[in-house]
Amino acid sequence: MSIEISKVTANIGARVSGVDISKPLDEEQVTAIREALNVHKALAFDDVHLDDEGQQAFARHFGDLTTAHPTVSAVDGAPNVLPVDSERGRANHWHTDVTFVLNPPQASTLRSITVPPYGGETLIASSAAAYRDLPAPLRALADTLWAEHTNDYDYAVPDEQIDEEQAAQRAQFTSIKFRTAHPVVRVHPLTGERGLFIGGFAQRIVGLSVGESRKLLDLFQSYVTRPENILRWRWSPNQLVLFDNRITQHYAIDNYDDRPRRLHRVTVAGDVPVGIEGKESYSIEGDASHYTSVAE
C-alpha cells in the first residue's frame, strides 16, 4: 500500500496513511515522510499502536535522539521519552521546543496516551507562513535581528500565585541556566525556506532593551499565531503527530478542566540554526552536550 498524504489546512498539517509506523520503515518510506514533513510542517498518523520503544524506533528514522529534556526528568526506564502530563504542568504558551540550547531538536513526535473527553488540543503554527505574511519592511527588519533565548525568565506569573509544587517544577526547569543567541529568521537546512525562529523562550533582541525587544517580539509573534497559519489538532487515542521543530511553534490549550491528559514526546537531535547571512547561532551560557548531539 502506498503512502497517502492528505492536507488538513492550506498552510500547515497533513494526515499520513498507507504506512504502519510500528514496523521498521524502508528508505523509500522515510524519504516520503521527510518530504511530506518539509512541505506540510506537521504530520498526523492515526490508529498507531506504539509503546515507548516503538515511538523511539520511529523517531530514529530521522536522526539521533535527544534525551528527554536538558533539565526535566524522563519517563522511568526511558531516558529519551518526556512525559507531557497535565499533572506535571501545562505548556499553554507558544514555543518551539528547547530553543534555549545551541542546537534545538529538529523534529518532535507526540503520542497520545491519555486523552481528555473534551479540549486538550495542540496548536501547531507555521513560522514559514508567518515570515511570508510579513510586510516587506518588517521582513527586511527581521532578517537583520538576533534574539536571546533562555529557560530562565519570569514567566509573567506573580510568585504569590505559585504553589509549592509549581515552584519545585520551575526550580527543576531552571536548574541549569541556558542562554543562546539565534537568528530571528532561520533558514531551513533542507528546504532553504525562511521562518521566524522566536517563541516563548525568546526574551530579548540582541542590542535592544527588554521593553523594545518585547514590542518587536510581540509584533512578529502576531504573524505566527494568525489563525490561517495554525493547525488545531484534536487528539484521539492512538495517534502520533510528527512536527518540524525548526520551522513551527506549538501551544497546548488548557481547556479540559482537571481531566487527565498525557502525551509522550520523543525528539530528534538538530543542527545549529543558521541565519540568512550564513552565521550560526552561538551559546552564551549553559552546556547542553548531556542532552543532545549536533546533527550534521
Side-chain angles (χ1 to χ4, degrees):
M1 189 175 183
S2 60
I3 294 178
E4 294 185 6
I5 310 295
S6 305
K7 288 181 73 165
V8 178
T9 82
N11 286 332
I12 183 170
R15 287 181 182 270
V16 181
S17 58
V19 60
D20 183 354
I21 64 171
S22 68
K23 297 178 180 177
L25 304 180
D26 61 34
E27 187 175 341
E28 186 177 344
Q29 291 172 317
V30 173
T31 298
I33 293 170
R34 171 67 80 181
E35 289 177 352
L37 186 63
N38 289 343
V39 172
H40 300 289
K41 313 298 185 279
L43 303 176
F45 299 81
D46 293 317
D47 195 28
V48 300
H49 297 281
L50 296 172
D51 55 13
D52 288 334
E53 281 297 322
Q55 184 176 357
Q56 291 171 81
F58 171 71
R60 280 195 186 94
H61 286 105
F62 305 98
D64 293 339
L65 303 186
T66 72
T67 57
H69 192 273
T71 59
V72 177
S73 56
V75 170
D76 287 344
N80 303 102
V81 182
L82 182 75
V84 181
D85 193 328
S86 58
E87 293 185 1
R88 290 178 31 149
R90 305 190 179 201
N92 56 329
H93 62 100
W94 282 104
H95 65 288
T96 298
D97 282 336
V98 201
T99 59
F100 46 84
V101 305
L102 180 62
N103 59 307
Q106 58 156 298
S108 296
T109 65
L110 287 174
R111 176 170 61 96
S112 55
I113 307 295
T114 303
V115 176
Y118 51 83
E121 301 94 339
T122 296
L123 304 180
I124 308 174
S126 169
S127 57
Y131 179 80
R132 293 194 299 268
D133 286 347
L134 290 174
L138 283 182
R139 199 179 308 137
L141 174 60
D143 286 345
T144 69
L145 299 176
W146 286 66
E148 285 189 17
H149 295 235
T150 181
N151 63 331
D152 185 22
Y153 58 98
D154 65 9
Y155 295 83
V157 179
D159 287 342
E160 60 269 18
Q161 293 182 17
I162 302 294
D163 62 27
E164 199 170 302
E165 183 178 0
Q166 291 169 322
Q169 290 168 350
R170 181 182 293 186
Q172 181 186 35
F173 192 79
T174 59
S175 57
I176 305 172
K177 293 180 172 59
F178 294 95
R179 276 197 307 146
T180 302
H182 294 300
V184 167
V185 178
R186 180 179 185 177
V187 179
H188 194 286
L190 299 181
T191 67
E193 272 187 297
R194 297 179 181 185
L196 290 175
F197 197 63
I198 45 176
F201 300 119
Q203 291 294 298
R204 186 168 186 162
I205 300 292
V206 174
L208 298 183
S209 70
V210 172
E212 291 166 334
S213 298
R214 190 74 269 146
K215 289 174 183 176
L216 274 181
L217 288 168
D218 286 347
L219 177 60
F220 292 133
Q221 185 68 15
S222 71
Y223 285 84
V224 177
T225 57
R226 283 183 166 183
E228 292 83 359
N229 295 336
I230 292 173
L231 170 68
R232 183 177 182 127
W233 191 255
R234 173 74 178 101
W235 290 98
S236 298
N238 301 316
Q239 286 182 324
L240 182 139
V241 171
L242 165 68
F243 57 87
D244 191 330
N245 198 57
R246 294 180 286 209
I247 204 157
T248 61
Q249 290 183 32
H250 54 284
Y251 182 115
I253 308 175
D254 182 4
N255 62 349
Y256 47 98
D257 296 322
D258 292 324
R259 303 296 184 108
R261 176 187 185 271
R262 185 181 176 105
L263 311 174
H264 279 186
R265 187 182 87 185
V266 175
T267 52
V268 183
D271 51 314
V272 178
V274 174
I276 65 169
E277 295 178 345
K279 182 181 175 184
E280 291 187 338
S281 301
Y282 56 93
S283 178
I284 301 168
E285 180 181 5
D287 178 3
S289 57
H290 67 288
Y291 161 65
T292 181
S293 59
V294 178
E296 297 297 329

